Amino acid sequence: MTMWTSLEPAAVAVDPGGRATARLRVRNTGDTVEEYRLSVVGAPAGWARIEPDTLRLYPGSEDTAEVSFAPPRSPDAPAGPAPYGIRVEPREHSEVRDVLEGQVTVAPFTEVRAELVPPSLVGRFRGRASVAVDNLGNTALTASLTVRDETNRLTYELTPNSVQAAPGRAAFAKLDIRPQHVRWTGSPEHHRITLSVRRSGDETPLQVTGGFEQRPVLPRWLLMAGSGLVAASIAGIALWLAFQPKVNTATGEMQAAAGARAVPQGAESPLPSAPPPAPPAQSGASAPAGDGSGGASGGGGGGGGEAASELGGGPPVVPPPPKKATAAPNAPVGPVWDMGYKPDDIVTFAQYRLATLGNECTLKPGWTAGIIDQVTKDSLTCYQQHVMRDKKSSMQLTATDKKLGTLGRATLTSMWAQGIRAEQVKPGAKTYQVTQLAAALWWANQAGISDADLNRDRDYAHKGIDYFKAGQQGGYLMKSDAGLASAIKDYQSYVGLPQTGVADTKTINWLVGGDVKDRGNPGR
């Protein structure tokens, strides 16, 4: 044996993109000058180096070389332990070469990229895209996929809804998008969609945005061509009638003269009298309020054997609101809405809701649309006090809307949830009550409100106003789908109810009670 070798330390750990070192010691135990060639073998050889790679030693002398490991931050350096060897080969006595064994452990890291292909979809009845998820980390990836849109007017089908990918590999899924309502005419409608990729064990999802342009079934050019064809047909008929020869016979004139009789001046038959006006509806009549919390008739039922909370059951009386008032340029805007604020359609919806209670809290005639005047403030105060006495509900309204007589998130949540029965909003149902529930959850789950959120709130308010103007008949119908179930589950998680994703009677009563997310503590 003409040499002695040592590797210190034999095991090292290193982060991807970082650097770790070990020291190799070589001693010439022979009686001649020897040159030792050094090299790294094994899986880490691609990102390891030894300096110097040659040692020339006199008999009895010793020298060292540094072994450095620098794994790249890529899938090429898999996480976990990797064995390696340092080969020491004497030039003169190659038969006594030696290999020192060691181990380097690479730390794990994660990096995920996702892409929607194509990012913008166009269709009338559906849109199809592919979802690509790339695993750029050095550990295996397991991730779940979800899709949502801002307007909640689309339905989705992801196949599969969870993917797995090895380091440096990609996984794919198919996305099928369908609009809930077909657009027959008009301009295209743009929907903004968000794809969320949530890695197993990671609470922060990766989000990718895209779009779906829903085009009308009948294009504009076809309508214009049809209109032009109809107009040309009408013009042709008119011209034909205008130039048609008119033939009058003497017999016709004699018959007309014989049949005509003079009518004495002032002897025409009088017009029939107008029918007497219908008696005014008793919208202000009191009805037993009990411990109810406000709303139109029809609340109750649902799961759990409980009765749904409701206030009043009078006829659907909607007084026509006067012209909207204007406010000073520096008047504040909601939310929360109070006296002296600028007019808002959200306030108008609340006034229609109060005008149809049919009990002592009913909004009396004389209110001004869109603003909190004195009669609206008195009706709001009465409604809020009833909610806080309703033992069927959560009785949390004034925990958020602390000032009585003002219109805030908790009160609007309660008003939207009034009159909903659990069987009307079961999964798959398509009713106006589903629209009410979606609006109530939208208010309840907003810990903070942006301008975009208020625009969506006003869109719901317009649907509610149209419903009341139509005498509480028909209304805008929404379908209880997976997006609504997710919003229900989010709300149930916040208020401490079982996370079923189904709006049972207790969940509805908690919305009527005004239990909403708090701005200071959105996660409770």
Side-chain angles (χ1 to χ4, degrees):
M1 185 70 172
T2 63
M3 66 178 176
W4 172 87
T5 58
S6 173
L7 181 63
E8 301 174 355
V12 296
V14 62
D15 292 325
R19 185 174 180 270
T21 60
R23 186 176 64 168
L24 173 68
R25 297 171 58 191
V26 181
R27 183 185 303 161
N28 185 358
T29 59
D31 52 4
T32 60
V33 177
E34 185 65 88
E35 184 177 273
Y36 303 92
R37 289 175 293 183
L38 313 176
S39 60
V40 182
V41 295
W47 35 268
R49 60 185 301 180
I50 184 168
E51 293 181 340
D53 58 358
T54 302
L55 294 177
R56 183 178 178 85
L57 301 178
Y58 288 95
S61 64
E62 178 181 318
D63 203 352
T64 62
E66 183 181 76
V67 184
S68 61
F69 303 94
R73 190 175 175 83
S74 73
D76 296 332
Y84 71 94
I86 304 296
R87 183 165 54 197
V88 182
E89 186 176 3
R91 179 185 294 273
E92 299 297 331
H93 301 85
S94 59
E95 71 278 1
V96 295
R97 64 184 179 185
D98 189 18
V99 176
L100 287 80
E101 295 182 350
Q103 179 177 282
V104 57
T105 301
V106 180
F109 80 96
T110 60
E111 184 174 348
V112 181
R113 290 182 186 175
E115 185 178 6
L116 192 62
V117 183
S120 297
L121 305 176
V122 178
R124 292 178 174 84
F125 303 102
R126 68 190 305 174
R128 289 176 175 175
S130 296
V131 179
V133 180
D134 295 307
N135 181 9
L136 303 182
N138 62 354
T139 60
L141 167 70
T142 300
S144 60
L145 310 177
T146 57
V147 184
R148 62 181 175 85
D149 65 287
E150 295 179 347
T151 59
N152 198 27
R153 295 179 181 175
L154 304 176
T155 57
Y156 310 95
E157 184 178 349
L158 268 170
T159 309
N161 56 10
S162 63
V163 295
Q164 294 181 338
R169 308 291 291 180
F172 299 89
K174 297 294 183 182
L175 174 61
D176 195 345
I177 301 176
R178 295 176 183 271
Q180 296 180 4
H181 303 284
V182 176
R183 295 182 65 84
W184 293 101
T185 60
S187 58
E189 183 176 4
H190 297 272
H191 303 271
R192 180 182 174 88
I193 59 177
T194 301
L195 169 70
S196 297
V197 181
R198 188 184 300 274
R199 182 186 178 94
S200 178
D202 190 356
E203 295 298 327
T204 304
L206 171 67
Q207 294 187 336
V208 179
T209 59
F212 175 67
E213 180 181 303
Q214 182 185 356
R215 293 184 175 177
V217 176
L218 301 177
R220 184 174 298 177
W221 67 265
L222 182 60
L223 294 177
M224 294 177 64
S227 300
L229 182 60
V230 172
S233 301
I234 294 174
I237 294 172
L239 289 173
W240 183 81
L241 293 176
F243 288 98
Q244 183 180 7
K246 186 176 180 180
V247 179
N248 291 325
T249 64
T251 304
E253 292 176 359
M254 292 173 64
Q255 290 176 347
R261 288 184 290 180
V263 178
Q265 184 71 20
E268 297 90 339
S269 300
L271 293 174
S273 302
Q282 300 301 318
S283 61
S286 299
D291 289 328
S293 62
S297 61
E306 290 184 56
S309 170
E310 67 173 328
L311 174 69
V317 179
V318 182
K323 183 179 179 181
K324 283 189 178 181
T326 58
N330 59 347
V333 296
V336 174
W337 290 271
D338 201 350
M339 296 183 71
Y341 278 44
K342 287 186 176 180
D344 200 310
D345 290 337
I346 295 176
V347 178
T348 305
F349 160 77
Q351 291 170 319
Y352 273 93
R353 174 73 276 184
L354 293 171
T356 56
L357 293 180
N359 53 46
E360 65 267 29
C361 294
T362 301
L363 179 61
K364 295 177 174 55
W367 49 276
T368 304
I371 65 170
I372 305 292
D373 52 15
Q374 189 59 53
V375 292
T376 303
K377 187 178 186 72
D378 294 342
S379 181
L380 267 175
T381 302
C382 179
Y383 176 88
Q384 291 161 338
Q385 290 171 341
H386 270 282
V387 170
M388 294 306 295
R389 291 197 301 267
D390 183 10
K391 299 187 185 304
K392 298 175 186 174
S393 74
S394 55
M395 296 186 293
Q396 292 292 315
L397 189 146
T398 55
T400 301
D401 296 350
K402 302 180 185 300
K403 184 179 177 182
L404 292 178
T406 62
L407 184 62
R409 292 175 52 241
T411 304
L412 281 163
T413 298
S414 175
M415 287 181 170
W416 272 112
Q418 282 293 337
I420 301 176
R421 297 194 300 271
E423 64 268 25
Q424 296 171 323
V425 292
K426 62 185 180 180
K430 187 175 182 181
T431 61
Y432 175 75
Q433 286 72 27
V434 175
T435 306
Q436 288 183 251
L437 179 61
L441 290 168
W442 181 252
W443 276 110
N445 289 336
Q446 292 181 94
I449 302 178
S450 64
D451 291 339
D453 293 334
L454 276 178
N455 288 336
R456 182 169 181 176
D457 295 333
R458 292 188 180 96
D459 182 63
Y460 277 124
H462 296 155
K463 293 177 173 60
I465 293 170
D466 293 339
Y467 174 72
F468 287 119
K469 284 184 176 180
Q472 304 184 54
Q473 298 294 327
Y476 181 82
L477 308 183
M478 287 182 62
K479 185 177 181 180
S480 179
D481 57 6
L484 184 65
S486 177
I488 295 171
K489 188 177 292 185
D490 186 19
Y491 177 77
Q492 290 169 332
S493 172
Y494 172 76
V495 299
L497 295 175
Q499 299 178 42
T500 62
V502 177
D504 55 5
T505 300
K506 195 162 189 177
T507 301
I508 296 170
N509 285 348
W510 255 233
L511 288 166
V512 172
D515 197 347
V516 300
K517 287 188 178 181
D518 181 61
R519 285 187 177 86
N521 186 17
R524 193 176 261 186

